[in-house]
Amino acid sequence: MTDIAIIGAGPGGLVTALRLHQAGFSPTVYESVPELKPLGVGVDIKTVGTRELDDLGLLEEFRAISVDAEDSIFFNHFGQEIYAEKCGVHMGYLHEQRFVHRGILQMLLFRTVLQRLGDDAVVLGARVVRYDQDADGVTLELEHRDGRTEQARHDAMIAADGIKSAVRRRMHPTQAEPEFSGITMWRGTTLREPIRGGHTILHLGDPRISTMIVYPIAEDFEGSGLDLINWVVETNGEETVEDWNQVADPEQIIPAFDSLKLPFLDVQQLIRDSREVYLFPLIRHFPLDTWVDGRVVLLGDAAHAMYPRGGNGITQAMLDARVLTEQLVELGDPGEAFAAYDRARREIVNRIADNMRGEGYEVIRRIVAERTDGQPFDDIEQVLPLAEADEIFSKYHALVGAPRPGHEAGEATGFRTWEAAQVEAGRA
């Protein structure tokens, strides 16, 4: 059985370890930090990601740490509703869409790797600074926190070492440096009462000015009886380092939402009450022409770093892990398997990354802002017909591998919440 090294103990690397173990492999995971902690904020795991966790036997554990997504609703920067759609099983998918704290999900995966593969399956505090390979395997040069260096030998290596991947830089030394998009992302969490029953993701604002995404990532957080709410703001900003853990002052972004009035949520107070706020610049990483260097292959953000929009970062890494494992089982030879994985995944995921740089389905808020010249509207159907919005969303869902149930049959899968409420009132 092939002896495989995995670089990086983020969610992508850990899911890959579990997939490989499920197929009979015993990989070793190398992680640069000396201790894993539940860092980060919220992530949106789409139905295909939940399916992957179900296949790994982790569905119940995942449900226990996450929140079921039921409604996704879009508003302009005045708080007027543009569009709504159901999520996950509530739309007709076979699996749930769920919201979760990234760090808490990572710790679940980490514990599971240690339980299934053994305590020595993850080597912490070991940073890969270079690799060399020959016809029989890959030699890793590891640097430890105390400055000590050593070498490790494996048959093959999977690099899941994130947006600043050292392996990617060595594999593509002449690749153009990433560039700042001009957009700064602010991410925070707030403890408060459930919003709209506790299972809704809100998409707010005018992308030309500022936007905000709000969703719950934990119910009854730490026994408080309150939801832990994740919020994300995008504004035009100055370039900073590409680091998920830059602490920021939320007062700078509160005025951007002066015009936003929702009957069920004061978004400015939500920001003021935040427990933690981080700043992150949106950096454009350009698509690679290959993820493979012989017995070395890239996976997840190391291969296809994309804007953190639409719940695709971790979900696509999970799909990478499945396809890569399937090819290793089928073909045996790491070089052949990695090349087959590259052919199966790279072009598809590069298209998704390009789509996310172009706003993805969030483009409907820009369309409304441009068609109304940034002013309130009287009738959304005259600005953005439901059928037009449905088509935009259906193309996106198909692109990411989750075709919308009912769309091909001509069903309107989106809706307006006030119309749905009137129908419910009529039934009552």
Side-chain angles (χ1 to χ4, degrees), residues 155-177:
D155 296 331
M157 180 173 73
I158 299 170
D161 52 341
I163 54 175
K164 293 185 176 181
S165 171
V167 177
R168 182 184 65 220
R169 284 187 175 274
R170 182 159 178 80
M171 186 183 295
H172 295 280
T174 61
Q175 183 77 22
E177 288 293 314

Side-chain angles (χ1 to χ4, degrees), residues 62-273:
F62 178 49
R63 284 173 171 164
I65 63 169
S66 60
V67 179
D68 180 37
E70 183 172 345
D71 290 313
S72 180
I73 312 176
F74 297 74
F75 297 83
N76 68 5
H77 66 296
F78 297 104
Q80 294 178 290
E81 183 180 323
I82 294 172
Y83 181 78
E85 68 169 349
K86 290 294 183 179
C87 304
V89 294
H90 307 283
M91 187 193 285
Y93 288 106
L94 297 179
H95 291 86
E96 301 151 19
Q97 175 182 338
R98 300 193 70 89
F99 308 130
V100 67
H101 190 290
R102 180 194 180 279
I104 294 175
L105 172 61
Q106 181 182 14
M107 296 310 291
L108 167 62
L109 296 171
F110 179 51
R111 291 193 302 271
T112 305
V113 168
L114 296 182
Q115 291 165 3
R116 295 182 184 181
L117 281 72
D119 291 343
D120 59 350
V122 181
V123 180
L124 296 174
R127 184 170 68 94
V128 175
V129 294
R130 64 175 289 132
Y131 70 86
D132 295 292
Q133 62 180 310
D134 52 40
D136 299 317
V138 182
T139 301
L140 313 184
E141 183 175 327
L142 304 172
E143 182 178 273
H144 296 270
R145 285 292 172 130
D146 59 6
R148 177 173 50 91
T149 62
E150 67 172 326
Q151 291 187 338
R153 180 76 172 174
H154 295 272
D155 296 331
M157 180 173 73
I158 299 170
D161 52 341
I163 54 175
K164 293 185 176 181
S165 171
V167 177
R168 182 184 65 220
R169 284 187 175 274
R170 182 159 178 80
M171 186 183 295
H172 295 280
T174 61
Q175 183 77 22
E177 288 293 314
E179 65 180 28
F180 178 49
S181 66
I183 299 171
T184 297
M185 176 175 284
W186 306 68
R187 302 166 67 93
T189 60
T190 304
L191 201 60
R192 57 152 288 153
E193 296 80 12
I195 300 169
R196 290 191 79 257
H199 298 275
T200 298
I201 180 169
L202 305 172
H203 310 254
L204 312 168
D206 178 347
R208 302 173 307 173
I209 304 170
S210 60
T211 66
M212 187 173 188
I213 310 295
V214 180
Y215 56 90
I217 55 175
E219 298 170 304
D220 188 23
F221 184 68
E222 296 180 344
S224 64
L226 302 174
D227 280 1
L228 185 63
I229 306 297
N230 182 79
W231 56 263
V232 182
V233 169
E234 288 187 15
T235 64
N236 294 328
E238 297 179 358
E239 184 171 6
T240 60
V241 297
E242 192 175 16
D243 180 357
W244 287 112
N245 299 308
Q246 296 179 78
V247 177
D249 178 6
E251 288 295 328
Q252 298 178 50
I253 54 174
I254 288 174
F257 299 98
D258 283 344
S259 68
L260 183 59
K261 308 298 180 185
L262 296 170
F264 52 84
L265 177 65
D266 182 338
V267 297
Q268 292 181 314
Q269 195 61 47
L270 181 75
I271 297 171
R272 288 192 184 97
D273 293 342

Side-chain angles (χ1 to χ4, degrees), residues 10 29 55 89 185 188 235 296 339 343 361 381:
V29 181
D55 286 349
V89 294
M185 176 175 284
T235 64
V296 178
R343 290 192 298 271
Y361 54 60
E381 188 65 18

Side-chain angles (χ1 to χ4, degrees), residues 371-392:
R371 291 179 181 178
T372 61
D373 196 25
Q375 299 301 309
F377 54 76
D378 294 323
D379 181 0
I380 185 58
E381 188 65 18
Q382 298 303 312
V383 178
L384 180 68
L386 187 64
E388 182 182 354
D390 260 353
E391 192 63 28
I392 292 169

Side-chain angles (χ1 to χ4, degrees), residues 39-55:
L39 300 177
V41 284
V43 290
D44 177 3
I45 303 298
K46 299 300 188 184
T47 58
V48 289
T50 302
R51 180 193 66 196
E52 296 303 311
L53 292 170
D54 189 11
D55 286 349

